[in-house]
Each structure stands twice: as C-alpha cells, then as structure tokens.
Amino acid sequence: MHRSMNGFNELSIAGRVATPGDSGWDAARAAWNLAADQNPVAVAFVESADDVAKVVSFAGRTDLKVAGQGTGHGAVALGPLDDTILLKTERMREVEVDAGSRTATIAAGVLVEELGAAAQAHGMCSMPGSSPNVGIVGYTLGGGLSWLGRRYGFACNRVTAIDVVTADGEQRRIDPDNEPDLFWALRGGGGGYAIVTGLHVNLLPISELYAGALVFPAELGADALRAWRDWAASVSEDVTSIGRFLRPPPIPDVPEPLRGRPLLTFGAACVGSQEEGEATIAPLRELGEPILDTFGQIPAEGLSRIHMDPEPPVPGMGHHRLLSELPDDAIDAFVGVAGPDAGSPLLLAELRQLGGALARRDENGGALPSLDADFALLGVGMPMTPELGQAIEASLDDLHDTMQPWAADGGYFNFAERPCDVDALLPPETCARLREVKGRWDPEGMIVANHALSATAA
Ligand SMILES: Cc1cc2nc3c(=O)[nH]c(=O)nc-3n(C[C@H](O)[C@H](O)[C@H](O)COP(=O)(O)OP(=O)(O)OC[C@H]3O[C@@H](n4cnc5c(N)ncnc54)[C@H](O)[C@@H]3O)c2cc1C
C-alpha cells in the first residue's frame, strides 16, 4: 500500500495523529529544544504499546520511517524527518515502583523528575542527571550521566528489562535472557534499534544526600578551577561534580544576584550524611566569597534541580568533547576561550567530572559499559537570533578546537548535540556489534534516531 495525502486516516490509534495543515500542526511538531525545526510527515501522539505497534506496522506498510521522541531535548541532532512519522510518547506517563525489589517500571514518556518523585515516595532514588524534564528513555538509551555516576555508573546499566516494538511491529520484552543483543544495544547505543514503550530499572536505597552548588564571580578563574580539579581528584567515588562558566542572560527569570554577569559555579552531589558532605565541600567554600551557596542535605529527588538547567522549552545549540586529562595548561586554555574575558556568547561552558564507576567496565553493561575519559566538556548557547546563532556556532567550534590537545577518543552520546554518526562517539568494535544488531532487527532502516550508525564501518 502506498501512502496518499489522507492515508493517515487508516492509522487508527487511541492517541492522536497530526498531519501538516491540521490546526495546531506547529505545536504538534515542536520539540523541547526550539532550535529544532521538525518537519515529519505526521506526528503520532501514542498512548500505549498497542498504539506504538500500530504506528510501526503502518509505517512498514507505507514505506515510512518512525522516529521515537520523548521530549525533544535531543532533537537538534535528529536531522530532516522526510518520510518519517514522529512518534511522541509524552502521553505515556505511568510509573510504578516496587519497593520490595527496589525497581521501577516506567512508560516511555516519563520524565526524570517524575521517576525521581515516585522513587522518593518509597525512600529511594533513580539516577538523575542535571535536567528534571529530560525523558528517562532518551536519557537512558544514550547512557545517562548522573550526579550519582561516579558511584553507580551509567543509568543505562541499571536497566533490567526493556519493552519494545521492533520494526516488524511486534511487541517484545527484552532482557539478559531474551534477545540479549537488542537489550545490549539499547543500553547506551541510542534509540535506533526499536521503539521503546517501557523501561524496568533498579532504584537506589538513597532518600537524601548532600548536594548543591556554589556560585562565584567568574573572575576567580584559573586558580579556582585548578583547586576544584585537585579537589575532584582527591574525593571519593561518592562525589560527582561539575565546574563551569555560566553567563545567565539579563532577563527577569534569572534571580537578581546572578543576572547578566559571568559566573563560575561548582556543583556536586555527595552520597552520605550531612556531616560527611559538609566536610567534603569545605575546601570549595574556601575558594572565595560565594554569591550563592545552595549546598545542603536534600531529598534525592531534588538532585535534578541543583544545576538549575532551563525547564521551559528554549532554543539551544551545544557541542562537546571528552578530555583525557585536565592539566594546568588545559585549564588556562579553557579560561582563555570561555572565561570572563573571552567575550563568549555561550550560556555555559562546563567540565563534568567522570571517573570512578563511570570508568570501570560494567561486565553486565550494554553498549556503554564505561567511558574512558576524565572530564566531559560541554558548551551550550541560546540562539535567540540568527546572528547570535552564528556567533554561538563559531564559539562552540573554538571551545572544541582549543581543548583538542587534551581530547580523549570518541564522545558521549547524550552530549552530541550536533548531527554525527554513532561511529564518531563509540569505539569501532561497539559500532560493529551495533551494526549487526541493526541489520538483524531493522534491516530496512525504518527506526530513525538522533544519531545513526554510518552506512559502512568507519
Ligand atoms: C538541559 C539539558 C540537560 C541535560 N543533562 C544531561 C545529563 O545530566 N546527563 C545526560 O546523560 N544527558 C543530559 N542531557 C542530554 C539528554 O539526556 C539527551 O538529550 C536525551 O537524548 C534526552 O532524551 P529525551 O527523551 O528527553 O529527548 P528526545 O529528543 O525526545 O529523545 C532523544 C533520542 O532518544 C531516542 N528516543 C527517545 N524516546 C524513544 C523511544 N520511546 N524509543 C526509541 N528511541 C527513543 C530517539 O533516538 C531520540 O532521537 C541534557 C540535555 C539537556 C537539553
């Protein structure tokens, strides 16, 4: 059967199907990241695994492709959606916690903060990153770099089973014993192998911990960053931290003391008691007079807000690279390109501390069993005008190139905001295995993800 202009009438789901020309089409095709201009042939707002299976089967019959999307935080890298149905999971929001087995079952559209709240209600926590309203599924399929990462590894390796619809339209539950190759691929290799309808994850027996951020004037510069780097190398794996230059825009939404001035922030999460946390953070408090100090013993569900990431949809452009080391000259170079005197148009340039369990190979892990780098460098700008967008792109290139001498191989899937092949991110042997999985489960290339394997081995 071939698709006609009104062929979507034949796609009958409990949710809604929007097509170009419908009223509200622009809202339907929008992503959380407003810099993404998505033009699919239709948007399917699915409500259940059955709906997903119907959409995938319909796409198969009509020579269309399907792209899964939770929130659109990772939408800029998705590329054109010609001949593609955008399958939005935002209506699938059920979360179930089983306190006895310390596990949660979540539907495909659940957000980080929603799983966090459900786990908190049972005195437990999940593996949140820095944004409360990123989708758990997209975050986890790309790895899931959490505030608890140095202690517990990547979020993807705490997944016990995944409910999927494969390109043949079948619903399956996959786990270490059932289709282990597909289960392996989806844990860190991204979403290009099947549409996920649900995740089953292990929770952690943590209900509160010491966490927050110190905000200093950016002028503290290289000396403070060196002190943070040395401190980060000395703390235990219970501590995961981020150092960054931040330039909040001069808008009323930003609290007065932070508005429109260059800042240097150090955020951290410390698993343990308040007393232990205070002792751990004490050296950072001595770096200067903070403009803001939000550290304290907090409920674990609050972790995803300590970084103060933007929550409402915004336009964002980012670029990243992994660093194998951060010697003094790397810090000088970072300050030169992103510090207070750089005149950078970026909202932030940050260094996320890796190592610990993130660097140790998880033998039962998926396509991202570990990451061999000391820091992840990430730059982000908000292109409010086309001119600013050009300046941001140039500045992101500059940041990336300046730090090249200290670069580690590959990249981190979730921070690859620019379009690139999976082959640019994961090791060749991982990509070879992912290519086999793709060939077996989606030989026609029907499932579209924000990063795809290159057609041939790199
Ligand atoms: C402000 C901000 C903060 C962030 N902080 C962190 C952080 O601390 N740690 C971290 O690791 N990452 C972080 N990220 C990156 C984020 O995890 C990725 O952008 C992730 O892809 C977002 O998932 P999503 O579902 O919200 O986005 P989407 O754009 O909806 O999804 C991204 C991709 O995931 C896949 N996908 C989503 N749903 C499905 C599905 N049901 N089936 C199959 N594939 C699917 C698709 O390939 C899709 O293109 C951050 C991003 C932003 C913008």
Side-chain angles (χ1 to χ4, degrees):
M1 184 179 82
H2 286 283
R3 177 173 47 102
S4 61
M5 283 304 282
N6 60 3
F8 289 102
N9 293 340
E10 292 157 33
L11 175 55
S12 166
I13 59 174
R16 178 169 82 95
V17 179
T19 53
D22 288 358
S23 66
W25 171 242
D26 281 342
R29 70 188 182 90
W32 179 89
N33 188 330
L34 300 176
D37 181 21
Q38 310 193 104
N39 289 291
V41 294
V43 179
F45 293 89
V46 290
E47 292 188 354
S48 65
D50 285 348
D51 272 2
V52 174
K54 283 180 187 166
V55 172
V56 171
S57 299
F58 175 85
R61 291 196 306 274
T62 53
D63 292 333
L64 290 173
K65 297 175 184 161
V66 179
Q69 185 161 88
T71 67
H73 274 76
V76 168
L78 197 49
L81 293 170
D82 302 346
D83 295 327
T84 304
I85 301 174
L86 187 61
L87 184 150
K88 290 199 177 189
T89 59
E90 64 194 45
R91 296 186 179 189
M92 296 176 67
R93 299 290 263 273
E94 304 80 25
V95 186
E96 220 174 276
V97 171
D98 180 25
S101 63
R102 282 198 199 134
T103 55
T105 299
I106 62 155
V110 171
L111 306 181
V112 163
E113 64 177 334
E114 292 167 345
L115 176 57
Q120 186 76 56
H122 297 273
M124 293 183 285
C125 83
S126 57
M127 294 277 289
S130 66
S131 164
N133 60 348
V134 151
I136 290 281
V137 168
Y139 167 81
T140 306
L141 297 181
L145 180 58
S146 166
W147 283 111
L148 302 169
R150 282 169 37 80
R151 170 74 189 267
Y152 295 104
F154 284 100
C156 64
N157 295 326
R158 301 192 60 78
V159 173
T160 58
I162 310 178
D163 296 326
V164 296
V165 172
T166 40
D168 56 7
E170 289 296 316
Q171 299 183 38
R172 305 168 197 270
R173 175 160 299 175
I174 58 169
D175 60 27
D177 300 318
N178 297 290
E179 311 303 356
D181 60 339
L182 187 55
F183 183 60
W184 170 85
L186 287 168
R187 290 177 299 141
Y193 314 93
I195 299 296
V196 172
T197 58
L199 280 186
H200 305 259
V201 299
N202 278 324
L203 298 174
L204 297 165
I206 296 174
S207 66
E208 54 175 51
L209 74 177
Y210 196 75
L214 285 160
V215 180
F216 295 108
E219 287 69 28
L220 255 57
D223 286 345
L225 277 164
R226 275 190 205 106
W228 165 69
R229 182 234 13 227
D230 293 344
W231 170 87
S234 74
V235 295
S236 79
E237 293 180 4
D238 286 336
V239 183
T240 301
S241 68
I242 302 178
R244 70 173 167 174
F245 285 115
L246 181 66
R247 284 183 181 73
I251 55 172
D253 286 353
V254 176
E256 167 59 38
L258 311 181
R259 198 181 300 161
R261 64 186 284 192
L263 305 167
L264 180 60
T265 78
F266 297 108
C270 314
V271 178
S273 68
Q274 172 154 4
E275 215 174 22
E276 290 162 336
E278 276 171 357
T280 302
I281 297 303
L284 294 182
R285 288 202 160 107
E286 285 164 17
L287 291 176
E289 184 63 35
I291 301 166
L292 193 66
D293 179 348
T294 68
F295 273 103
Q297 192 76 356
I298 62 165
E301 68 173 312
L303 263 186
S304 65
R305 288 205 159 82
I306 61 172
H307 203 49
M308 296 174 266
D309 277 355
E311 295 182 35
V314 287
M317 295 161 87
H319 200 20
H320 89 295
R321 86 176 315 153
L322 300 176
L323 303 179
S324 58
E325 53 174 351
L326 194 64
D328 286 354
D329 47 355
I331 287 183
D332 291 341
F334 179 65
V335 173
V337 72
D341 301 326
S344 167
L346 300 185
L347 171 68
L348 62 89
E350 68 187 34
L351 294 160
R352 294 201 181 198
Q353 184 191 3
L354 304 175
L358 296 165
R360 265 195 309 277
R361 193 178 170 79
D362 184 333
E363 292 307 330
N364 299 314
L368 186 66
S370 59
L371 197 56
D372 186 15
D374 277 0
F375 291 90
L377 166 75
L378 177 66
V380 175
M382 284 168 55
M384 305 308 288
T385 63
E387 296 72 31
L388 188 52
Q390 284 172 8
I392 288 169
E393 283 294 11
S395 188
L396 291 171
D397 284 339
D398 201 14
L399 178 66
H400 187 262
D401 296 349
T402 299
M403 301 305 284
Q404 203 283 328
W406 305 281
D409 287 343
Y412 173 53
F413 203 110
N414 280 353
F415 289 171
E417 299 235 345
R418 288 181 173 180
C420 72
D421 291 336
V422 177
D423 304 66
L425 305 171
L426 299 176
E429 58 278 12
T430 305
C431 291
R433 191 170 163 194
L434 288 172
R435 220 168 259 110
E436 282 174 27
V437 174
K438 182 77 173 171
R440 174 169 175 217
W441 288 101
D442 184 20
E444 305 297 327
M446 186 211 276
I447 310 287
V448 174
N450 54 357
H451 298 289
L453 290 156
S454 66
T456 51

